């Protein structure tokens, strides 16, 4: 697609660099979800890999390039998933990986980063403060700073998901039949990457980005066509809770996204519960954003075939039980109080 920073030929070449364990993730029609959602739903399952998120598609690109140049160290800021992915990709290539994260990041994600031999530095603030600290470390130590969504490797790695959606062959040849793809929107790597490929190769497919009401900066920026920052975030979807959109990423998003929508926390939790009950999937809140968008606007998607990218399953087990259990209790209470 013309105009974005991404290049379709480079994205195709990326498939030869990324470890195959992260490629060709399951894509399937999930009929069990359809009675509740009122439309045909296919799932692209980006949790079926060693780091349980799509992020390693990008970090494989970063780490491979660093290893070729003889670099020995790299640093990033992360809400958790990028850090795990960079730790995994860096460990396999002998890189010293430092991950800066918020002290409030999910403990399970931080523990997994450490288990992958990366150094973790915590900041008393949110993801955007972690970004500032990671940049300071990179300047101090003269090492590569990986900036998710700004660095093309992170976007073009994620874009290989788009190739798998639109180039899929039998028996999962849904490419010609699905008419919308729902993408979690945070920093923008997933949305701009997949969006670039879909608009380049299947331009009639609607690209819809989904963000929580409690972390709306990129959606507000897309709607106003300029960077809009927020003072704080308030969402359980920590993986997309940024406050300061990157201008270059917004420019790409403006070219590839047909719409950007905001969803309520209750809908995110309901989506997580549906994915557990009807698809057998334990997902983090960010991965349920697509389902949440359908729940909030069933009329828009009625009769359509929608693909949603389930982008991560690194969730704190205790928090997950609280969210999904609370959702179940509310649903059961509502059912028992309804007139017969």
């Amino acid at each position: 697609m013309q105009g974005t920073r991404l290049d379709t030929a480079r994205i195709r070449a990326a498939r030869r660099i990324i470890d195959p364990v992260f490629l060709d993730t399951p894509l399937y029609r999930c009929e069990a979800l359809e009675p509740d959602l009122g439309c045909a739903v296919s799932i692209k399952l980006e949790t079926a890999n060693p780091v349980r998120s799509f992020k390693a598609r990008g970090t494989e690109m970063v780490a491979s390039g660093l290893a070729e140049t003889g670099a020995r160290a790299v640093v990033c800021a992360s809400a958790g998933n990028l850090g795990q992915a960079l730790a995994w990709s860096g460990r396999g290539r002998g890189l010293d990986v430092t991950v800066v994260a918020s002290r409030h990041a999910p403990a399970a994600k931080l523990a997994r980063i450490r288990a992958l031999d990366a150094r973790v530095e915590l900041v008393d603030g949110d993801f955007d403060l972690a970004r500032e600290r990671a940049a300071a470390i990179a300047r101090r130590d003269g090492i590569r700073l990986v900036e998710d969504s700004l660095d093309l490797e992170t976007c073009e790695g994620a874009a290989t998901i788009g190739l798998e959606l639109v180039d899929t062959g039998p028996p999962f040849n849904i490419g010609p039949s699905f008419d919308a793809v729902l993408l979690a929107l945070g920093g923008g790597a997933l949305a701009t990457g997949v969006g670039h490929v879909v608009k380049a190769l299947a331009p009639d497919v609607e690209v819809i980005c989904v963000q929580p009401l409690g972390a709306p900066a990129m959606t507000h920026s897309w709607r106003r066509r300029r960077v809009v920052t927020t003072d704080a975030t308030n969402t359980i979807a920590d993986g997309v809770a940024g406050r300061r959109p990157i201008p270059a990423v917004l420019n790409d998003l403006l070219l590839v996204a047909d719409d950007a929508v905001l969803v309520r926390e209750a809908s995110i939790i309901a989506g997580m519960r549906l994915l557990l009950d009807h698809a057998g999937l334990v997902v983090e809140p960010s991965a349920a954003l697509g389902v949440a968008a359908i729940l909030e606007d069933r009329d828009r998607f009625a009769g359509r075939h929608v693909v949603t990218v389930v982008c991560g399953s690194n969730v704190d087990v205790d928090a997950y039980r609280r969210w999904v259990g609370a959702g179940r209790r509310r649903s059961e209470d509502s059912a028992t109080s309804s007139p017969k």
Side-chain angles (χ1 to χ4, degrees):
M1 182 175 181
Q2 298 300 314
T4 73
R5 298 175 301 141
L6 286 71
D7 179 81
T8 304
R10 283 200 308 263
I11 295 164
R12 291 192 182 280
R15 286 182 54 84
R16 299 193 293 270
I17 298 171
I18 298 168
D19 189 319
V21 75
F22 299 110
L23 298 173
D24 301 313
T25 50
L27 171 64
Y28 57 93
R29 174 96 174 257
C30 189
E31 294 185 23
L33 284 171
E34 295 173 5
D36 286 282
L37 298 181
C39 61
V41 181
S42 288
I43 286 173
K44 181 63 169 165
L45 189 61
E46 286 298 304
T47 63
N49 62 56
V51 297
R52 302 195 299 192
S53 83
F54 75 95
K55 295 288 189 180
R57 292 180 184 250
T59 60
E60 283 287 281
M61 301 290 293
V62 171
S64 176
L66 288 172
E68 288 179 0
T69 64
R72 304 305 302 168
V74 61
V75 61
C76 75
S78 175
N81 286 346
L82 179 73
Q84 290 180 68
L86 187 60
W88 195 95
S89 297
R91 184 178 66 173
R93 294 169 176 85
L95 296 173
D96 178 13
V97 177
T98 298
V99 177
V100 184
S102 168
R103 196 174 302 280
H104 307 294
K109 293 183 178 182
L110 298 177
R112 184 57 182 157
I113 293 169
R114 294 187 179 101
L116 290 167
D117 299 332
R119 174 177 174 268
V120 176
E121 179 171 323
L122 301 178
V123 297
D124 292 315
D126 61 9
F127 172 72
D128 288 290
L129 185 61
R131 283 171 57 185
E132 295 175 5
R133 177 56 184 160
I137 292 172
R139 290 191 298 269
R140 182 194 69 194
D141 297 344
I143 61 176
R144 167 71 186 271
L145 169 66
V146 177
E147 295 192 75
D148 198 15
S149 303
L150 177 60
D151 290 355
L152 275 177
E153 300 103 319
T154 64
C155 301
E156 293 183 342
T160 58
I161 298 169
L163 290 180
E164 293 167 18
L165 289 175
V166 300
D167 286 356
T168 301
F172 301 120
N173 190 19
I174 68 168
S177 66
F178 75 84
D179 54 38
V181 59
L182 291 163
L183 302 166
L185 178 60
L190 180 67
T192 60
V194 175
H196 170 94
V197 172
V198 169
K199 286 305 176 186
L201 303 180
D204 292 336
V205 172
E206 188 177 20
V207 174
I208 304 170
C209 303
V210 190
Q211 217 170 18
L213 272 168
M218 186 63 97
T219 295
H220 287 332
S221 298
W222 182 86
R223 290 175 178 176
R224 300 179 191 178
R225 304 188 68 84
R226 61 177 178 81
V227 170
V228 176
T229 62
T230 60
D231 294 330
T233 61
N234 182 22
T235 178
I236 62 171
D238 59 283
V240 294
R243 296 185 290 109
R244 304 173 189 169
I246 299 169
V249 182
L250 174 61
N251 290 339
D252 291 339
L253 191 70
L254 289 170
L255 292 169
V256 303
D258 294 298
D259 200 3
V261 301
L262 297 170
V263 295
R264 298 184 297 270
E265 298 293 291
S267 300
I268 298 172
I269 292 171
M272 294 169 68
R273 184 186 172 202
L274 284 175
L275 287 165
L276 175 64
D277 289 349
H278 299 306
L281 298 175
V282 175
V283 305
E284 60 190 84
S286 300
L289 287 169
V291 175
I294 302 172
L295 286 171
E296 291 203 2
D297 198 354
R298 286 181 175 86
D299 289 346
R300 175 177 185 170
F301 299 102
R304 301 176 69 179
H305 186 168
V306 177
V307 173
T308 184
V309 178
V310 175
C311 56
S313 64
N314 291 298
V315 65
D316 180 87
V317 174
D318 290 338
Y320 180 85
R321 288 172 175 160
R322 288 196 303 272
W323 297 329
V324 175
R328 179 173 285 107
R329 286 192 296 274
R330 283 195 296 270
S331 176
E332 290 169 351
D333 291 345
S334 176
T336 58
S337 64
S338 297
K340 304 298 184 185

